[in-house]
Structures are given as structure tokens and as C-alpha cells.
Amino acid sequence: MPAPIERADHLVAALGDAAAAIAQALAATPDWGEAGTRDGQHHSDLAADAAAVAVLDDAGLGVLSEESGRHRPERAVTVVLDPLDGSTNASRRLSWWATSLCAVDEHGPAVALVVDLRHGTRWTARRGAGARRDGEPIRASGCTALGEAIVGLNGVPAGHGGWAQYRALGAAALDLCAVADGTLDGFLDATTDELGVWDYLGATLVCREAGATVTDAAGRDLVVLEHGARRIPVAGATGDLHAALGRLHPEHGGSA
């Protein structure tokens, strides 16, 4: 049985407040271009991060953020935060970018919230209690055959993997949530150790609570609270599809 989530309502409220603060900060940020602080970091990333970290800190939570690292590691719950997943898309107003938050306690991911910041769609999950999109329960598509699957990709594979179609949309958190609600059938990270835990953890809980399978292509634990750690998430609506996608990655001798 899943471990109980202490203060679940408090965590849900805190994640929602942080997401609202991010939206307000972005609305007040005129320049969404690169900040010059490090490669790929935008002014929008920094503004969103500062707003979210302040809210989460006031709520008594630790934070592991893509943009600013680890805060308050001694606290019992750490929120893994990507304040703006798909910031390159956002800077060019391509409509696939999100906020991802996942509260992690001693038992692992407990509560997740992923918000599509362009369209307002919200995916939520509580450990052992299912997943929802805009309040409605969701389930993965049930697709089992790779040749029938619509697959989201991160990175560029070496060749065609045998799927029916693919999409490379540019925000892993949203790609994985699309697997959870059946919009996509699977997701393959075709890179090697480029995605941080903030890119996938919230959406991984959403996927698993919706019946999808998500693992690291190299067999490592996806739950890692280290800023420098990188993983290779692979997701499938079913175990069969997940296994077929996993075999495509070079970690298993494939050519993705």
C-alpha cells in the first residue's frame, strides 16, 4: 500500500500558491530572452524561480530548483521545481511550456502539479489517489503496440524507431502529462543524461497514478535530490509499450 501523505492538503495548497506566484511573476516580466547568467537561462526563468521559492519557503518546504539549486535541505519535504519548463518555447511564444512542482517526502513523490502556462491546463496527482486533468480523473491510453503509438521525443533519435508518429514538443513535463492523459501513447528521451529531476518528476507521478509506466533507460532511480544528477526517462501507456520504447535507447543497444 502507498505510504500516507502527511499534510497532503497543505502540500496541494502550497504547490498551487507557488504556481500562481509564477504566473504573476511572468506577467510582470517584460524580457523573456536569455539572461546571460548561464547557457539556456532566461530572465523569465529567474523571475519565476524567485517567486516560487519565496512561496514554498514561507510554507515550510525545502526546494530543489533547476534555476537556483537546493534550499532548506533539512526540511522534511522538498519540492522539486521547474519554474518554467520549455523556456526556449516560452521565449519564442511557441505554445508548449509549463510549471512543474513535485513534493517529495521520506517515502518519495507525494503530490504533483504541472500547469500548462500557455493554456491553463492543470495536471495533479497524489500518491495512491490517482491523477487528474483540470479536476477530472485521467488514464493512459492503453496502447501496447509500438507501430500504433504516437510518441513524444526529447532530443533527436538516430533513426525511425518504428512508431506510428512522433512529436518533439520541447517541454518534457508536458510531454509526460500527455502520456498520462492519453494524448500521447509514450515518451522517449533520445539523449543521454541531459534531463534533470525537475524536468520529469512531477509528471512521472502523474503518469504512474494514471496507469502509465515510467523508468530511467539506464535502470537508475528517477527520484534523486541532487542538482547535478541527470536521468533518461522513458514512459509508456502500458508495460509492453514502455519496454518497446526502452529497447530503442542506446543504453539497451538501440539507435535512438
Side-chain angles (χ1 to χ4, degrees):
M1 294 292 293
I5 306 169
E6 295 185 6
R7 303 190 304 160
D9 291 341
H10 169 72
L11 295 176
V12 169
L15 299 193
D17 289 346
I22 286 170
Q24 291 173 1
L26 291 174
T29 302
D31 183 358
W32 287 36
E34 292 205 20
T37 46
R38 69 167 189 252
D39 287 347
Q41 191 169 60
H42 298 72
H43 292 290
S44 51
D45 292 314
L46 297 172
D49 180 70
V53 170
V55 168
L56 296 169
D57 183 58
D58 286 347
L61 303 171
V63 178
L64 174 62
S65 171
E66 176 182 14
E67 307 305 335
S68 58
R70 193 82 188 263
H71 305 259
R72 307 279 192 170
E74 75 280 1
R75 290 180 169 174
V77 176
T78 293
V79 176
V80 176
L81 166 69
D82 193 340
L84 187 54
D85 184 43
S87 52
T88 299
N89 282 355
S91 71
R92 293 172 177 256
R93 297 304 192 266
L94 295 171
S95 31
W96 197 247
W97 32 288
T99 286
S100 176
L101 305 108
C102 186
V104 180
D105 64 14
E106 61 180 317
H107 303 291
V111 176
L113 170 64
V114 178
V115 182
D116 179 336
L117 293 170
R118 177 65 178 81
H119 303 99
T121 308
R122 301 166 73 91
W123 293 263
T124 58
R126 294 192 192 192
R127 184 173 60 226
R132 295 175 178 269
R133 181 182 64 194
D134 290 338
E136 296 297 322
I138 54 174
R139 296 293 294 176
S141 71
C143 179
T144 60
L146 182 59
E148 299 173 0
I150 310 299
V151 175
L153 296 177
N154 179 58
V156 181
H160 195 290
W163 40 68
Q165 294 187 43
Y166 72 91
R167 302 288 185 269
L169 299 168
L174 289 179
D175 296 347
L176 287 164
C177 284
V179 175
D181 67 20
T183 304
L184 293 174
D185 301 306
F187 172 81
L188 174 64
D189 179 9
T191 70
T192 297
D193 288 348
E194 290 189 7
L195 293 182
V197 63
W198 44 79
D199 290 309
Y200 61 77
L201 195 61
T204 291
L205 182 60
V206 176
C207 275
R208 289 175 174 170
E209 289 295 324
T213 300
V214 189
T215 65
D216 171 59
R220 299 162 296 187
D221 193 347
L222 286 173
V223 184
V224 54
L225 299 182
E226 299 174 15
H227 193 269
R230 297 293 182 268
R231 295 292 187 262
I232 312 167
V234 179
T238 59
D240 287 345
L241 181 58
H242 169 267
L245 286 167
R247 287 192 292 269
L248 296 175
H249 198 276
E251 287 288 333
H252 295 280
S255 59

